[in-house]
Amino acid sequence: MAPSASTKQSKRDKSVWNYDGGVLFATDGSLPNGVCFRVSGQINASDFFEHLKRVDDERGTVFLRGTEAVREFPPELDVIFSIRDEPCSPNLRDFAPHPFLTREMMSHLQLSMYWKRGVDLRPVKDVKEVGARIEKITPYAKELSAELPERFEWSYQLTVSGAGVPLTDSLVFVFRTDEKHIAARVAARL
């Protein structure tokens, strides 16, 4: 032990997180064939997240709306997310062609959702698809669009039951291929 080190636990600084507008999540994923993609989305619920704050201090974590303690998610959560392909390398000098995410590849991706507490994953029991759409992405170089592969963005809107789920749990999204290979995994956590 260093001479100036204390055996007492150091005082934890206070941090405050604001959730106005909901909870954002994003991750990168990839398929065994070399396709890379980005998943990004948001969890919201009417006005539930407005003025909701997470306060971490030396006493622990508490969620507050004003002075009222909030402990659980609302009965229903709105989840929106989109998936679109992207280069696997952020290096702009990497000119090697790469495959793009196609409708067929997307048809083989399977989504599983879990509530996570510690290391325990519990399947989400009540998920309903509200809407889905596919939009063709217009290339910047419109004059070359006939020579370029078609690219798409897939968007989804779901409702998920949050009844009885503590705010300390995370909502986990796992995208798998038909062969059960995990293509992407992301947790939306407060």
Side-chain angles (χ1 to χ4, degrees), residues 21-87:
V23 178
L24 303 176
F25 60 91
T27 193
D28 295 330
S30 65
L31 298 176
N33 66 359
V35 169
C36 293
F37 59 91
R38 162 68 52 125
V39 177
S40 56
Q42 177 183 20
I43 297 174
N44 215 331
S46 187
D47 60 352
F48 176 80
F49 290 100
E50 299 307 312
H51 308 292
L52 181 68
K53 295 183 182 345
R54 173 184 168 153
V55 179
D56 295 312
D57 61 19
E58 68 275 354
R59 294 171 292 179
T61 298
V62 65
F63 294 91
L64 300 171
R65 188 176 297 108
T67 57
E68 171 195 0
V70 181
R71 291 179 177 77
E72 294 182 347
F73 283 101
E76 189 172 88
L77 297 166
D78 299 318
V79 177
I80 59 169
F81 66 92
S82 64
I83 300 174
R84 66 184 304 171
D85 62 38
E86 67 175 23

Side-chain angles (χ1 to χ4, degrees), residues 4-174:
S4 62
S6 171
T7 56
K8 282 184 153 184
Q9 185 177 6
S10 65
K11 183 177 175 184
R12 184 172 167 186
D13 291 332
K14 180 177 178 179
S15 65
V16 178
W17 296 78
N18 183 341
Y19 293 105
D20 284 346
V23 178
L24 303 176
F25 60 91
T27 193
D28 295 330
S30 65
L31 298 176
N33 66 359
V35 169
C36 293
F37 59 91
R38 162 68 52 125
V39 177
S40 56
Q42 177 183 20
I43 297 174
N44 215 331
S46 187
D47 60 352
F48 176 80
F49 290 100
E50 299 307 312
H51 308 292
L52 181 68
K53 295 183 182 345
R54 173 184 168 153
V55 179
D56 295 312
D57 61 19
E58 68 275 354
R59 294 171 292 179
T61 298
V62 65
F63 294 91
L64 300 171
R65 188 176 297 108
T67 57
E68 171 195 0
V70 181
R71 291 179 177 77
E72 294 182 347
F73 283 101
E76 189 172 88
L77 297 166
D78 299 318
V79 177
I80 59 169
F81 66 92
S82 64
I83 300 174
R84 66 184 304 171
D85 62 38
E86 67 175 23
C88 295
S89 169
N91 185 354
L92 295 176
R93 295 179 187 252
D94 185 4
F95 298 112
H98 68 280
F100 293 99
L101 198 54
T102 65
R103 291 175 190 257
E104 181 184 353
M105 291 174 202
M106 280 297 294
S107 71
H108 294 286
L109 271 184
Q110 301 163 5
L111 171 62
S112 300
M113 296 174 69
Y114 304 93
W115 284 111
K116 182 176 187 264
R117 182 177 303 152
V119 295
D120 181 41
L121 292 175
R122 300 175 322 279
V124 175
K125 293 184 170 113
D126 193 11
V127 178
K128 294 180 190 121
E129 185 177 309
V130 176
R133 72 176 190 275
I134 303 171
E135 289 185 43
K136 187 174 179 182
I137 299 171
T138 306
Y140 292 116
K142 292 179 184 178
E143 64 279 356
L144 297 175
S145 61
E147 301 171 35
L148 297 171
E150 285 187 316
R151 296 182 62 208
F152 302 94
E153 179 176 59
W154 288 263
S155 300
Y156 301 90
Q157 183 177 359
L158 312 170
T159 59
V160 174
S161 173
V165 178
L167 290 176
T168 51
D169 285 8
S170 302
L171 185 58
V172 176
F173 302 80
V174 179

